[in-house]
Amino acid sequence: MTDAERFDAHVAAEGKVEPKDWMPDAYRKTLVRQISQHAHSEIIGMQPEGNWLTRAPSLRRKAILLAKVQDEAGHGLYLYAAAETLGTSRDQMVDDLIAGKAKYSSIFNYPTPTWADIGAIGWLVDGAAIMNQVPLCRCSYGPYARAMKRICKEESFHQRQGYDILVSLCRGSDRQKQMAQDALDRWWWPSLMMFGPNDDASPNSAQSMKWRIKRFSNDELRQRFVDATVPQAHFLGLRIPDDELRYDDTAGHWRFGEPDWEEFHRVLAGDGPMNAHRIEHRRRARDDGQWVLDAASAHAAKRRRPAA
Ligand code: FAQ
């Protein structure tokens, strides 16, 4: 048996792959690509919500949002650490992000003009993230799978906090309910795009599923998300902005319209409403924080030096 055949058999039998194990170069490359994109998404994803930390409507809401945004930073750190076990470095990954060479989730290139957008992000964006990420807890690569377990637990709390914001708004005045509806109108289609292109336009899915990195295709997860989310919108008394949405009794699924894939590709190419702002903000955060890194590295180097 060759190394490659042994690897395929191990993964097919649900074995875990650990950092020092032999693995095909393409498997390593795919994981670095996916995990680093995922890490960047968590870190860039702090920005649209961070925008509301100083303007949350009450101290309680502010404390909850602060905890959520801090959780996202933690998720980014676990994920950068998991990617580093594959031989890349965090500095390299961050440099690629700031240079515009690395992707992060398209969803974070949309603005958050009202408080209701914070509810919509928790409900829809974290809801989509959970749908996509729970299967990643069974990913064949051990460090990624283990990081995902903790992340998913925290994402559940995030989803609940977002829904809770919308429940309050929908039980409030007509104006507050309209704010919730407007936010749903803004975030619905970008949330469906989070799952990636349709299966027949997804170049990576088949191989990633064979390697047990992905467990379900993009379209399967998108359908699960729609099925779970439509009844939640009905409970809120909100309308999903899709004229083609209808329940298919025979299949037991909500059928829905096609996202605007042209918009998706435009956002991926860097031309979304907030792309330039997000990267510039991240670059400034890195540059402004450089002195902290330098001081921490100097301190660590001093501790490593043997006493004279
Ligand atoms: N945005 O062949 P596929 C969160 C790219 S975390 C940007 O289908 P794949 C928590 C894809 O990378 C959200 N790019 O690719 C939170 C590929 O490009 P490449 C992030 C996208 O990898 C909440 C190309 O298109 N979650 O929300 C997108 O098999 C609130 C072809 O696509 C994850 O990253 C997109 N939406 O499947 C934080 C989960 N979709 O690399 C803060 C892990 C596709 O060939 C606040 N990632 N692309 O140049 C995944 O599950 C997968 O990577 C997919 C894409 C499903 C995203």
Side-chain angles (χ1 to χ4, degrees), residues 33-34 37-38 41-42 45 49 68 72 103-106 108 121 125-126 129 132-133 136 144 155 193-197 202-205 214 218 264 268:
R33 178 184 67 78
Q34 176 164 331
Q37 285 176 6
H38 194 165
S41 304
E42 301 282 357
E49 293 180 299
K68 179 187 192 297
E72 310 301 0
K103 289 197 172 80
Y104 57 90
S105 184
S106 50
F108 300 118
I121 290 184
V125 177
D126 284 282
N132 170 275
Q133 290 171 190
L136 290 174
Y144 192 26
E155 300 292 20
M193 293 175 197
M194 280 179 74
F195 295 93
S202 162
N204 303 304
S205 281
K214 283 167 92 157
N218 298 353
F264 173 73
L268 253 58

Side-chain angles (χ1 to χ4, degrees), residues 30 33-34 204-214:
T30 285
R33 178 184 67 78
Q34 176 164 331
N204 303 304
S205 281
Q207 184 60 65
S208 288
M209 286 172 75
K210 197 165 154 237
W211 277 328
R212 304 277 205 268
I213 295 171
K214 283 167 92 157

Side-chain angles (χ1 to χ4, degrees), residues 38-54:
H38 194 165
H40 296 326
S41 304
E42 301 282 357
I43 297 299
I44 295 285
M46 295 164 72
Q47 292 186 34
E49 293 180 299
N51 179 37
W52 278 90
L53 282 174
T54 53

Side-chain angles (χ1 to χ4, degrees), residues 73-228:
H75 297 176
L77 295 186
Y78 311 152
L79 290 165
Y80 283 128
E84 281 184 317
T85 65
L86 290 154
T88 180
S89 75
R90 186 163 155 197
D91 284 346
Q92 182 62 53
M93 290 183 271
V94 173
D95 286 349
D96 286 349
L97 172 69
I98 289 171
K101 288 194 233 158
K103 289 197 172 80
Y104 57 90
S105 184
S106 50
I107 192 79
F108 300 118
N109 292 307
Y110 292 87
T112 44
T114 75
W115 173 248
D117 292 286
I118 302 305
I121 290 184
W123 174 36
L124 300 173
V125 177
D126 284 282
I130 291 169
M131 207 52 90
N132 170 275
Q133 290 171 190
V134 166
L136 290 174
C137 298
R138 292 189 291 126
C139 165
S140 56
Y141 189 57
Y144 192 26
R146 289 189 287 275
M148 288 319 302
K149 281 195 181 146
R150 179 153 176 192
I151 291 175
C152 283
K153 288 216 161 61
E154 292 176 351
E155 300 292 20
S156 303
F157 152 67
H158 297 170
Q159 199 264 356
R160 292 288 292 271
Q161 70 84 37
Y163 197 67
D164 187 60
I165 289 173
L166 291 177
V167 168
S168 296
L169 288 174
C170 290
R171 287 183 183 157
S173 65
D174 288 350
R175 211 161 141 221
Q176 284 172 316
K177 190 159 181 189
Q178 189 57 49
M179 270 172 70
Q181 181 64 58
D182 291 345
L184 172 57
D185 293 349
R186 277 193 286 278
W187 291 89
W188 176 252
W189 292 107
S191 299
L192 294 193
M193 293 175 197
M194 280 179 74
F195 295 93
N198 286 334
D199 291 353
D200 54 9
S202 162
N204 303 304
S205 281
Q207 184 60 65
S208 288
M209 286 172 75
K210 197 165 154 237
W211 277 328
R212 304 277 205 268
I213 295 171
K214 283 167 92 157
R215 296 287 173 153
F216 300 99
S217 75
N218 298 353
D219 285 334
E220 283 170 330
L221 291 171
R222 197 171 2 254
Q223 180 67 61
R224 283 179 181 211
F225 172 74
V226 172
D227 288 342

